[in-house]
Amino acid sequence: MWISDPDDPNSTFQIYRFKVVLFGAACSPFILNAAIKSHLENDGSEIATDLSKNIYVDNILSGRDTEQDLIAYHTEATNLMKSSGFNLREWATNSPELRKIAIKSNSSCLDSKVNVLGLRWDTNTDSLCYPKREFAQPSKTDLLITKREVVRATASLYDPLGFIAPVHISANIFIQKLWKAKLEWDEPLTTNSMANGLNYVKSYKPLPTLRFHVAILIPQ
């Protein structure tokens, strides 16, 4: 409800109704997911089932064994989503042929390095790496590391494929020790714990230089 005259706080109210979901509303992600799920379930095709299984919020991660099948997937998926008003507007692919098609339709991702579930995928080399993270480094005059900083650094890396499990597990064990020590969130760590915390932070630095090349094995 809004007042009819902004200059008169005693003016009568006017009632307005949103005809679309308000951007930023708490319910928006749920409504989006429910609408997409309903659309795909009602269609029931093979492509709809694939899309339903591989949608993560507003991204779709999928693929095909051959370039011909991939191009057909692009066409069918685009038409299926468009039939309900959804636009698959940006395609990232390691396929040169599909990239050409996406460029012609003005739907190609301009960046060859895209985010995929916490990882960075280089579509040119078909390799995965971890994004660069800047962690706070205590200065020589202010050596303050807290449990909050350690947890923040550990939680900032998402590792769905477990490539950096040795680093992550060690960091989580260290956090477990901090909880057992009953440290408060912003209480400075002891000298020994602080040294361990710095070591874990330093162990994250080389991660962006690691490259994992994608290999697809097709059973005969």
Side-chain angles (χ1 to χ4, degrees):
M1 293 189 296
W2 296 79
I3 55 176
S4 56
D5 184 357
D7 296 324
D8 181 7
N10 296 318
S11 60
T12 58
F13 283 108
Q14 288 184 337
I15 298 176
Y16 292 86
R17 177 174 62 87
F18 285 106
K19 299 181 68 175
V20 296
V21 177
L22 177 64
F23 180 79
C27 60
S28 296
F30 169 77
I31 293 176
L32 171 63
N33 183 66
I36 293 176
K37 183 178 180 181
S38 176
H39 172 56
L40 296 178
E41 286 181 350
N42 290 336
D43 183 88
S45 63
E46 180 183 351
I47 193 74
T49 301
D50 181 88
L51 291 172
S52 181
K53 289 181 178 180
N54 295 296
I55 285 183
Y56 300 89
V57 189
D58 56 355
N59 292 307
I60 299 171
L61 307 177
S62 189
R64 285 295 184 267
D65 295 336
T66 67
E67 213 160 30
Q68 183 179 358
D69 290 341
L70 186 64
I71 293 172
Y73 181 95
H74 169 270
T75 302
E76 293 176 27
T78 300
N79 292 337
L80 174 59
M81 298 303 290
K82 186 181 294 184
S83 67
S84 192
F86 293 102
N87 179 28
L88 298 181
R89 61 182 180 84
E90 196 172 64
W91 289 79
T93 177
N94 62 348
S95 164
E97 291 303 317
L98 180 55
R99 192 177 294 121
K100 291 177 184 178
I101 294 173
I103 290 174
K104 287 182 179 180
S105 62
N106 199 30
S107 61
S108 175
C109 180
L110 300 179
D111 192 352
S112 62
K113 297 179 177 63
V114 296
N115 292 320
V116 179
L117 292 180
L119 300 176
R120 294 282 287 173
W121 175 35
D122 188 331
T123 57
N124 290 330
T125 61
D126 207 11
S127 61
L128 298 172
C129 67
Y130 288 88
K132 186 177 181 180
R133 291 284 192 274
E134 294 294 339
F135 300 119
Q137 291 290 335
S139 65
K140 294 181 179 180
T141 58
D142 184 21
L143 290 175
L144 176 62
I145 299 181
T146 65
K147 181 172 70 175
R148 187 185 303 276
E149 293 298 327
V150 176
V151 173
R152 179 184 293 119
T154 303
S156 66
L157 284 176
Y158 182 51
D159 183 35
L161 299 178
F163 289 139
I164 58 171
V167 175
H168 243 174
I169 290 175
S170 298
N172 287 327
I173 291 174
F174 177 60
I175 292 173
Q176 187 180 51
K177 292 179 179 179
L178 297 182
W179 278 104
K180 289 180 178 180
K182 298 183 179 180
L183 288 176
E184 298 296 331
W185 281 104
D186 297 310
E187 181 181 348
L189 274 60
T190 62
T191 302
N192 289 337
S193 295
M194 191 179 299
N196 289 331
L198 281 173
N199 287 333
Y200 290 127
V201 170
K202 289 177 181 178
S203 68
Y204 288 157
K205 282 190 172 182
L207 294 181
T209 63
L210 298 177
R211 291 290 185 276
F212 303 93
H213 290 273
V214 179
I216 300 176
L217 301 179
I218 304 174
Q220 299 296 324

